[in-house]
Amino acid sequence: MSNKTKFLYFIIAALLLMNAGTLTVMFVGKRFKPNGPRQVSEWLAKELKFNEQQHEQYKLLQDEHRRNMAPIHQYDRALHDRYFKLLQGGSTDSVLVKQLADSIAFNRAQTELATFYNFKKVRSICNAEQQQKFDEIIGDALRMMAPHHPDKRPPR
């Protein structure tokens, strides 16, 4: 075999190894990517290392929060439906547009308040060490839950 042929075999083998390594990292080393609030909640509980009693309390808090949020989300959908239906008419009542926009903003504030107080309750079931960890990671959890956020995964 000539040196040129040996070199080509070496290059092909190196490229195959690099491709295999890349595929391995992509599929085997794939990081957990929470998809929605439920998975973020699971991630948060895991990061805080809740004991069995805390898990039960946390589950109750999550259930309570979902019940509280359901009517807020339902009202938000109704407001947005009314708001965007205004686009269908020939002329638009600017006062009504402003009122609906203000109602949507107020409803969003209710969502933010409910979320804040839910997390305050979650923090209260943590011991001192967990509270410190909570304070460190709550921003990450909120970013993961944010709609259309480009980085919905936990920090490294």
Side-chain angles (χ1 to χ4, degrees):
M1 241 194 280
S2 72
N3 283 341
K4 188 175 182 181
T5 305
K6 286 180 185 178
F7 180 72
L8 287 175
Y9 279 127
F10 173 77
I11 293 295
I12 291 171
L15 289 172
L16 287 173
L17 284 173
M18 287 189 330
N19 284 338
T22 301
L23 290 173
T24 301
V25 168
M26 285 175 54
F27 293 107
V28 175
K30 192 174 184 179
R31 292 180 54 196
F32 172 72
K33 293 182 182 182
N35 183 14
R38 188 165 293 204
Q39 286 185 345
V40 173
S41 294
E42 292 169 8
W43 174 81
L44 187 62
K46 181 181 169 199
E47 288 293 310
L48 295 173
K49 297 181 174 97
F50 282 156
N51 62 34
E52 193 172 318
Q53 180 185 6
Q54 288 172 315
H55 269 290
E56 287 302 314
Q57 291 174 307
Y58 186 57
K59 184 181 180 316
L60 291 173
L61 289 174
Q62 293 307 100
D63 291 344
E64 175 189 24
H65 183 63
R66 282 187 202 98
R67 280 192 310 276
N68 291 339
M69 293 301 293
I72 295 172
H73 289 308
Q74 187 176 20
Y75 186 53
D76 184 67
R77 283 189 296 275
L79 284 171
H80 277 89
D81 287 347
R82 286 183 57 204
Y83 187 65
F84 287 108
K85 267 196 172 163
L86 295 174
L87 294 171
Q88 295 173 359
S91 64
T92 305
D93 180 356
S94 60
V95 173
L96 183 56
V97 170
K98 176 75 169 105
Q99 287 173 342
L100 284 170
D102 289 345
S103 294
I104 290 168
F106 179 78
N107 197 59
R108 177 61 189 213
Q110 299 311 301
T111 299
E112 295 300 322
L113 288 168
T115 301
F116 177 86
Y117 287 112
N118 176 64
F119 279 122
K120 189 169 178 63
K121 289 175 186 176
V122 170
R123 190 179 187 280
S124 75
I125 67 171
C126 296
N127 62 36
E129 183 180 315
Q130 290 167 326
Q131 286 180 349
Q132 184 177 355
K133 178 72 172 180
F134 179 94
D135 294 344
E136 292 170 9
I137 66 174
I138 189 61
D140 296 324
L142 294 171
R143 279 187 290 281
M144 287 184 272
M145 290 179 3
H148 308 298
H149 194 277
D151 189 11
K152 288 190 166 207
R153 39 175 209 251
R156 295 176 190 209

